[in-house]
Amino acid sequence: MLQGSTIIAISLAYLGVLFAVAYYGDKRSDHGRSLIANPTIYALSLAVYCTTWTFYGSVGRAASTGIGFLPIYLGPTMIAALWWWVLVKMVRIAKANRITSIADFVASRYGKSQLIGGLVTVIAVIGIVPYISLQLKAVSNSFSILLGYPEIVMPSHAGELPVWRDTSLLIALAMAAFTIVFGTRHLDATERHEGMVAAIAFESIIKLVAFTAVGLWVTFGLFDGFGDIFARAAEQPQLAKLMQVSNTASSYGSWASLTLLSMLSVMFLPRQFQIAVVENVNEDHVRRAIWQFPLYLLLINIFVLPIALGGMLHFSAGGVDADTFVLTLPMSQRQEVLALLVFIGGLSAATGMVIVETIALSTMVCNDLVMPLLLRSRWFRVHQRADMSGLLL
């Protein structure tokens, strides 16, 4: 029986491991032995692209659109082929101009326009803060489901939890502490956050291992392999449609638009720009990322459709949200350890996104919104200050 205190303790212990990895990475950097001066770690850190939407939501999308979940990953795979020309040039420009964010990058193309930088920042904050909240909501929902073990109760049917058992609040506080300690405690915004990048690369491994583990168990434990799942699904017309691309203009239009959107996202989302450009220590690392990042996307998506089909076959009576199949399938067979591993994998996907995104957004807000206002404000009297470091921090 999984107790709430056990789940919370394991979650906080995992976040403690992240702190340890980040601390070790920073210490290595202080001694001139960079932990992230490795192309594989760089490629793994780019996998911050895979959020809880990848870990939970892609299965839910596959359950409703079949292989329609693929464009979200085809776009990054296709654009990666151009990285040696496009991304390397962006890295060189960023280093030459001491660029610290996507807002700074866009503004620099228009003569360091404060108006453009501020506009990009406002758009990013408005667009991304709800996405951050969705990461916390995914953690909260998965905790609520796991708390009901061995029964499977959807969060919409569960009662409200008291504040002290609200996992999303506790984890948000831990993320905030991590982001302050390893992301924003230094005044020099152009300084690389080596400990943070090392932790993100570690998280990428954890979420890949967790998703692969549940995929292998569903495919070869709950069913008798890929052939068995696809054969059973093919016998049901409703499920058979999920393995085909609809021959309609709207279907092709959806694939094209999602592919283009994901191509742009992997390049220009604040967290992707932060990791790919700002945190890059060697432009030669891009050469390895050109094939390692698409390989990561392939590995984490191999079992998406089998899990989606397996969940629909197993929960044929309905009542279980497809977005939760990754967690509820192990729970239905009393696989406690696997269910906990899945929860930690989802937690990894959420924390990685939130930490990097908030570091990127905080830099943008400070440089493009707060600083211009401070410089114009008479109340703070910044022109009379010999040292503004305390105020800025």
Side-chain angles (χ1 to χ4, degrees):
M1 186 74 175
L2 294 174
Q3 300 293 331
S5 57
T6 302
I7 302 170
I8 292 175
I10 291 174
S11 302
L12 295 179
Y14 173 72
L15 292 174
V17 172
L18 287 188
F19 273 83
V21 171
Y23 179 79
Y24 178 68
D26 275 351
K27 283 298 181 183
R28 284 281 297 259
S29 176
D30 292 342
H31 290 87
R33 296 180 293 123
S34 175
L35 184 64
I36 67 171
N38 181 296
T40 300
I41 291 180
Y42 176 70
L44 284 171
S45 67
L46 289 173
V48 72
Y49 177 79
C50 299
T51 65
T52 55
W53 192 95
T54 295
F55 200 84
Y56 294 117
S58 58
V59 172
R61 182 170 176 81
S64 60
T65 66
I67 57 177
F69 76 94
L70 287 175
I72 302 299
Y73 308 99
L74 288 177
T77 300
M78 292 167 63
I79 197 67
L82 302 176
W83 276 356
W84 188 245
W85 294 275
V86 179
L87 184 55
V88 167
K89 187 175 181 180
M90 292 171 65
V91 170
R92 290 173 180 172
I93 291 172
K95 292 184 186 303
N97 295 278
R98 294 176 64 84
I99 286 171
T100 59
S101 67
I102 185 63
D104 199 11
F105 183 83
V106 175
S108 70
R109 313 312 291 170
Y110 295 91
K112 290 283 185 179
S113 169
Q114 287 186 354
L115 178 62
I116 296 294
L119 180 62
V120 172
T121 300
V122 170
I123 292 172
V125 170
I126 292 173
I128 291 170
V129 166
Y131 193 20
I132 292 174
S133 72
L134 287 177
Q135 307 305 305
L136 300 176
K137 185 66 174 176
V139 173
S140 179
N141 284 348
S142 57
F143 173 75
S144 297
I145 293 171
L146 199 57
L147 195 61
Y149 182 88
E151 299 297 324
I152 297 176
V153 181
M154 292 296 97
S156 58
H157 299 108
E160 291 292 329
L161 292 175
V163 172
W164 64 272
R165 293 179 67 184
D166 185 352
T167 316
S168 60
L169 173 62
L170 297 176
I171 290 183
L173 293 173
M175 289 182 197
F178 182 99
T179 305
I180 291 169
V181 173
F182 297 105
T184 58
R185 79 179 189 273
H186 300 297
L187 187 60
D188 184 5
T190 61
E191 182 178 355
R192 289 190 299 270
H193 310 93
E194 299 209 1
M196 179 270 290
V197 174
I200 297 304
F202 174 76
E203 286 195 308
S204 295
I205 295 174
I206 296 300
K207 62 191 177 189
L208 177 61
V209 168
F211 197 88
T212 302
V214 71
L216 287 170
W217 176 79
V218 170
T219 305
F220 300 102
L222 196 58
F223 295 90
D224 293 327
F226 292 101
D228 181 38
I229 293 177
F230 292 136
R232 293 193 192 187
E235 295 174 357
Q236 301 185 25
Q238 205 63 22
L239 298 185
K241 294 179 181 178
L242 299 178
M243 295 181 282
Q244 305 170 0
V245 178
S246 301
N247 188 20
T248 63
S250 61
S251 176
Y252 293 131
S254 176
W255 273 65
S257 60
L258 287 175
T259 300
L260 177 61
L261 183 63
S262 60
M263 290 173 70
L264 298 175
S265 297
V266 80
M267 295 290 293
F268 303 122
L269 279 174
R271 72 176 184 276
Q272 296 301 137
F273 187 89
Q274 180 75 29
I275 289 293
V277 178
V278 178
E279 304 292 348
N280 179 277
V281 299
N282 188 333
E283 66 180 47
D284 288 337
H285 292 175
V286 177
R287 191 186 300 275
R288 182 84 63 88
I290 287 174
W291 64 269
Q292 284 189 338
F293 178 60
L295 176 62
Y296 184 97
L297 295 181
L298 172 64
L299 293 176
I300 205 168
N301 282 289
I302 286 176
F303 294 104
V304 169
L305 193 57
I307 293 174
L309 294 174
M312 297 180 77
L313 289 168
H314 186 75
F315 298 116
S316 56
V320 176
D321 189 346
D323 286 340
T324 69
F325 283 169
V326 179
L327 181 62
T328 52
L329 281 170
M331 287 178 59
S332 69
Q333 300 299 304
R334 305 294 180 93
Q335 298 289 326
E336 293 185 15
V337 175
L338 185 57
L340 274 173
L341 179 61
V342 168
F343 176 75
I344 293 300
L347 180 60
S348 296
T351 52
M353 181 275 185
V354 173
I355 288 168
V356 180
E357 203 76 84
T358 49
I359 288 175
L361 288 181
S362 67
T363 301
M364 293 164 65
V365 169
C366 180
N367 292 353
D368 298 291
L369 295 182
V370 175
M371 276 302 298
L373 291 176
L374 286 179
L375 292 174
R376 290 178 172 85
S377 172
R378 294 181 180 179
W379 192 75
F380 287 98
R381 299 178 181 178
V382 294
H383 298 290
Q384 300 176 17
R385 292 174 179 260
D387 183 5
M388 288 182 58
S389 58
L391 176 64
L392 291 177
L393 286 175

